[in-house]
Amino acid sequence: MNLYDYIFYLFALLTVVSALVVVTSKNIVHAAFSLMFTLFGISGLYVLLGADFIAVVQIIVYIGGILILLLFGVMLTNKITNVEIKTGTIKTIPMAIITGVFGALLISIMYGTKWSSAPPDNMPSTLQILGNTLLTEYVLIFELLGMLLLVALIGAASIARRGRE
Amino acid sequence: MLEVGLNHFLIISAILFSLGIYGIVSRKNAIMVLMGVELLLNASNINFVAFARYGNLGIDGQIYALFVIILAAAEAAIALAIVLNIYKTFSNVNIDEIDNLKE
């Protein structure tokens, strides 16, 4: 085991433990904050996989955007009379058993399959090649996603303001 | 075994995926369900990036991971707008109590 492996296990532990807190905590604000640690741990995993740009985008978009949006949602949809903002649960134990079996199946498949994994080479910065590929080979999808974001922005604003003319 | 390879990343992603499904099916609050969906999207993203690195497939996996992140942002914005509307209509966001399409 070298340093890479230790860092991997650190980030893996951070990700899995805080994801466990996200789905088991009854307090929504606690869940949202531990989702932040999950997303940060995943970003660390991206760095270990040599995807530097994806890691930065993960931090900017997920932690800086989506998580804040979720927290706004929590704050706007609860009558804040006390600090505790709880969520109800449905059929926790049967669902835990079913998803546990599903997860064990998935892990055994992932572990048992002989993936044809090429030995990892050195990790160059992906920024230049990512930009080139995005604006040549994938330019149509890139533009369509730009349109999609615009439509989603206008749609979200118009849905959220409906009935308040 | 302890040496980190492709399998380790796939197992982390499998764990995150099943935790996300558990979050979706067992929580009542719509925003908690959204957090479960985010976990699922992140699990698939880890798979994309891991195969892009170990599968010798070039940069395509990372580009798809980028697209998934963009779609997740759009999805979160629309979903929260819908949740706010639901809260305005029903004054709660428990998805098991919201069972009619109009007031």
Side-chain angles (χ1 to χ4, degrees), chain A residues 37-161:
Chain A
F37 289 106
T38 309
L39 298 172
F40 183 75
I42 291 170
S43 157
L45 293 181
Y46 290 158
V47 171
L48 291 178
L49 284 167
D52 47 359
F53 184 67
I54 307 285
V56 174
V57 167
Q58 165 94 2
I59 288 183
I60 293 174
V61 174
Y62 266 104
I63 299 180
I66 296 177
L67 195 62
I68 302 297
L69 217 56
L70 284 176
L71 277 175
F72 266 112
V74 174
M75 299 300 172
L76 289 174
T77 56
N78 284 284
K79 294 186 185 67
I80 305 186
T81 48
N82 52 355
V83 185
E84 300 282 293
I85 300 175
K86 297 281 192 191
T87 175
T89 54
I90 325 167
K91 294 188 178 61
T92 317
I93 294 167
M95 289 310 170
I97 294 169
I98 290 173
T99 50
V101 170
F102 173 75
L105 199 68
L106 208 56
I107 288 173
S108 69
I109 290 171
M110 291 298 188
Y111 195 75
T113 312
K114 283 280 163 220
W115 304 104
S116 68
S117 64
D121 46 355
N122 60 338
M123 295 190 257
S125 168
T126 59
L127 199 53
Q128 191 182 4
I129 180 166
L130 211 56
N132 276 335
T133 319
L134 209 54
L135 283 181
T136 52
E137 200 177 336
Y138 289 95
V139 67
L140 180 64
I141 305 178
F142 182 73
E143 296 291 336
L144 283 177
L145 280 175
M147 288 301 294
L148 179 94
L149 278 179
L150 180 70
V151 170
L153 197 69
I154 297 172
S158 109
I159 290 174
R161 283 186 59 84

Side-chain angles (χ1 to χ4, degrees), chain A residues 20 23-24 89-97 99-100, chain B residues 16-27 36 40:
Chain A
L20 203 63
V23 295
T24 53
T89 54
I90 325 167
K91 294 188 178 61
T92 317
I93 294 167
M95 289 310 170
I97 294 169
T99 50
Chain B
L16 277 186
F17 195 85
S18 24
L19 284 178
I21 289 183
Y22 174 71
I24 289 176
V25 295
S26 74
R27 303 286 111 170
L40 293 192

Side-chain angles (χ1 to χ4, degrees), chain B residues 5 7 13 29-30 38 40 47 50 52 54 57 60 62 67 73 85-86 91 96 98 101-102:
Chain B
N7 279 335
S13 126
N29 192 299
E38 302 297 337
L40 293 192
N47 269 9
Y54 284 95
L57 297 170
D60 287 1
Q62 293 194 17
F67 291 161
N85 246 3
I86 288 174
S91 8
D96 58 334
I98 301 161
L101 286 174
K102 50 185 278 191

